[in-house]
Amino acid sequence: MEEDDPIVQEIPVYLSQALAQHLYLYQYPMRPANREWKDIKVTNASIKPNNQIVRLEMGLDTYSDKYCPSKAEQIALNTDGAQESRYIKDKEKEKAQYFRSGMMDKIVYESSTPCTEIQHYAVAILQDKELHCTPIKGIVQMRPSYSYYDKQDKRKQDKNKAENSDDEEKEPEAQQVTVKFARPETEVAKKAREKSYETISQRVATEPWYDGLWKHPDSDHADLERLKLFSSTSSDGSTLTLKAGEYIRTLVPAPPADEADTAPTKSLSLQDQIREILINAKMLTFSELRSLCGSGTGLSSNSGVSETALLAALGGAACCVRGLWTPRSGDLYTRAAPAPPPLMCAARDHVLYLFTQHSYVERRKIAAAVRLPPQQVLEILQSVAKFNPKTGWELLLPPDTAFEAKYPEVMQRQNLYLEARQRQFNEMLIGESVPKRQRKKSQRDSTSSDTMLSPKPRNNSVSEEDSDRKRHKNKSATGTGKRTRNISSSSAHDT
């Protein structure tokens, strides 16, 4: 770039270290680039962590017009031999089979390491005029593996040996034996032997395979992992605006005046300040939070905080609900309590998601959904909401519609995070307990916790008084007898 070249646009660059030790770049040189991976089904994944070798088994579409079943059965027969009866099977022999279904229904990809110098490579993602870079741990190339041909050759050799063993054994002829003594190995020879192809192949072959867990790119787990590609640091490139002396002093701090003096205490970063402020205040607007961080009324004076730096720090320290910022659940529940911290975090994230869909929520329905004691449910609600006798539980502050209109990208990212946490909450409840038998469904109308798992968007929630009024009106109209209602301690406390 020359000095006369104009600056078209300045884009801040952030460095994320969340996945730096676990991020690998996969290359598929033998697969056409125009073929997508959405319809590919990975049936099994294995890995050798020491040698960084990955093995993926991808299923074939056996119902395709281009698939030949007879050829697939012939390949499986040559590889594994004749299949046993489906009623009498040896489990150990079945595990050793390459094609367990009796036909070639998969393609195996194994990796190789094409590049060892990976310190200059990174994965970058550009969003909201910000470039987030994550260093990679390694690069692997996935190529099709035809190891079943080796198994076919081995079967032929074993078959030939079995046929030759049936012949009469001949008396072995006398052979001359030569005894050799090994010389002591030098360091140079030892290093050369360790780098030889035979030694490396033996080391790779002796390492066992470990089963891996494959997640679809559209799953909730993959969405949460992709969010780690965004940096949560509060650096906004302010070091570029420093003077020469200040920049050098930042890189090389001044030595202490006295070696016996204790080291000065480090001031908290902007992200730690935000976390502490929100834990104490429970919920704040963006303007209030910026004034606390910029005026020096927080934990340390940090005047002149820009909106870009504050938004970058908020992304890793807080959650946004209707334009209001509140601390993340993992920062609130870190110690053991009457309820496990993971369950408390999941329940609080469930409540935050409900407030993105409703203006008011009911404590009774939340208690039925999260399955926690009433005291813990009350603690979760009081951390983000207040009780209104006329409508129900509502947010501590009115929604910040100005922030929602000004930063739609930030709101979209926060909503995606809460939706992913809500789907994990649903999966946790579904797998928590499976009933042994199902009771016959009652004909009477009842409110279940399933309605809280995936709430429908609406403006206002129905309060408990309205629901009781409607229930009483239906009873008087139909005349189907009386129905008593037990008032729990949680509802009595709310009223």
Side-chain angles (χ1 to χ4, degrees), residues 62-73:
T62 57
Y63 297 97
S64 175
D65 298 338
K66 302 178 181 179
Y67 184 81
C68 182
S70 60
K71 186 64 176 178
E73 293 177 359

Side-chain angles (χ1 to χ4, degrees), residues 198-217:
E198 183 180 358
T199 304
I200 295 175
S201 301
Q202 184 179 3
R203 183 172 64 250
V204 172
T206 53
E207 184 182 1
W209 287 101
Y210 294 92
D211 293 336
L213 184 60
W214 173 268
K215 291 293 184 180
H216 196 271

Side-chain angles (χ1 to χ4, degrees), residues 190-337:
K190 183 178 179 181
K191 292 181 180 180
R193 181 178 56 83
E194 291 178 353
K195 294 182 180 180
S196 63
Y197 177 78
E198 183 180 358
T199 304
I200 295 175
S201 301
Q202 184 179 3
R203 183 172 64 250
V204 172
T206 53
E207 184 182 1
W209 287 101
Y210 294 92
D211 293 336
L213 184 60
W214 173 268
K215 291 293 184 180
H216 196 271
D218 297 334
S219 61
D220 301 334
H221 184 84
D223 293 339
L224 292 177
E225 291 297 323
R226 275 193 290 268
L227 289 177
K228 295 180 181 179
L229 295 175
F230 294 94
S231 175
S232 59
T233 58
S234 59
S235 175
D236 60 341
S238 59
T239 54
L240 300 178
T241 61
L242 296 178
K243 297 180 180 179
E246 296 178 357
Y247 182 75
I248 296 298
R249 187 58 60 192
T250 303
L251 295 178
V252 184
D258 189 1
E259 296 291 340
D261 294 342
T262 58
T265 58
K266 297 182 179 179
S267 59
L268 294 177
S269 62
L270 181 58
Q271 186 173 352
D272 294 335
Q273 293 183 40
I274 293 172
R275 186 179 291 108
E276 294 295 336
I277 292 174
L278 289 177
I279 290 176
N280 296 328
K282 296 183 179 180
M283 184 172 290
L284 291 173
T285 62
F286 181 76
S287 57
E288 294 174 346
L289 192 57
R290 187 182 180 187
S291 62
L292 290 175
C293 294
S295 60
T297 56
L299 298 179
S300 65
S301 179
N302 191 10
S303 59
V305 178
S306 62
E307 294 185 1
T308 306
L310 187 58
L311 287 174
L314 282 171
C319 293
C320 188
V321 180
R322 294 199 171 188
L324 303 174
W325 292 93
T326 183
R328 291 202 172 185
S329 303
D331 298 332
L332 292 178
Y333 307 107
T334 56
R335 299 181 180 179

Side-chain angles (χ1 to χ4, degrees), residues 113 128 138 143 145 147 152 160 170 172 175 185 197 207-208 234 242 252 294 317 343 345 354 393 402 447 478 488:
T113 305
D128 303 337
R143 298 177 182 270
S145 174
S147 57
Q152 292 179 10
N160 294 333
K170 298 181 180 180
Q175 297 180 357
E185 189 177 22
Y197 177 78
E207 184 182 1
S234 59
L242 296 178
V252 184
L343 188 57
C345 295
L354 291 181
W393 287 87
T447 303
T478 56
S488 61

Side-chain angles (χ1 to χ4, degrees), residues 254-492:
D258 189 1
E259 296 291 340
D261 294 342
T262 58
T265 58
K266 297 182 179 179
S267 59
L268 294 177
S269 62
L270 181 58
Q271 186 173 352
D272 294 335
Q273 293 183 40
I274 293 172
R275 186 179 291 108
E276 294 295 336
I277 292 174
L278 289 177
I279 290 176
N280 296 328
K282 296 183 179 180
M283 184 172 290
L284 291 173
T285 62
F286 181 76
S287 57
E288 294 174 346
L289 192 57
R290 187 182 180 187
S291 62
L292 290 175
C293 294
S295 60
T297 56
L299 298 179
S300 65
S301 179
N302 191 10
S303 59
V305 178
S306 62
E307 294 185 1
T308 306
L310 187 58
L311 287 174
L314 282 171
C319 293
C320 188
V321 180
R322 294 199 171 188
L324 303 174
W325 292 93
T326 183
R328 291 202 172 185
S329 303
D331 298 332
L332 292 178
Y333 307 107
T334 56
R335 299 181 180 179
L343 188 57
M344 293 288 290
C345 295
R348 186 174 180 272
D349 291 337
H350 171 64
V351 174
L352 293 177
Y353 174 77
L354 291 181
F355 275 115
T356 61
Q357 307 294 325
H358 307 272
S359 299
Y360 311 101
V361 298
E362 297 182 18
R363 179 182 174 186
R364 175 174 54 85
K365 292 183 178 180
I366 294 176
V370 301
R371 304 173 188 176
L372 287 175
Q375 187 63 28
Q376 273 66 43
V377 177
L378 179 61
E379 179 183 352
I380 292 173
L381 283 173
Q382 289 178 347
S383 65
V384 294
K386 59 183 179 181
F387 180 70
N388 190 343
K390 296 182 180 180
T391 56
W393 287 87
E394 60 183 5
L395 291 173
L396 293 173
L397 299 175
D400 192 356
T401 56
F403 181 83
E404 293 179 343
K406 187 176 181 181
Y407 300 101
E409 297 85 1
V410 177
M411 295 302 305
Q412 181 181 5
R413 189 186 305 175
Q414 292 293 326
N415 292 336
L416 289 176
Y417 171 78
L418 292 178
E419 288 176 2
R421 293 289 298 172
Q422 174 64 17
R423 286 191 292 268
Q424 285 188 344
F425 175 77
N426 297 346
E427 295 175 0
M428 180 184 65
L429 288 186
I430 293 174
E432 182 178 355
S433 61
V434 179
K436 296 183 180 180
R437 62 176 183 177
Q438 295 182 354
R439 297 174 56 188
K440 187 177 180 181
K441 186 177 180 180
S442 175
Q443 299 297 330
R444 296 178 297 178
D445 296 336
S446 62
T447 303
S448 65
S449 62
D450 295 339
T451 58
M452 301 301 294
L453 297 181
S454 57
K456 298 180 179 179
R458 58 176 180 174
N459 294 329
N460 294 320
S461 174
V462 180
S463 62
E464 295 184 3
E465 296 178 2
D466 296 339
S467 60
D468 294 340
R469 192 180 302 110
K470 291 181 179 180
R471 192 181 297 108
H472 179 70
K473 182 178 179 181
N474 294 334
K475 290 180 182 179
S476 62
T478 56
T480 56
K482 298 181 179 179
R483 180 180 180 185
T484 60
R485 178 187 177 192
N486 295 328
I487 301 177
S488 61
S489 60
S490 61
S491 61

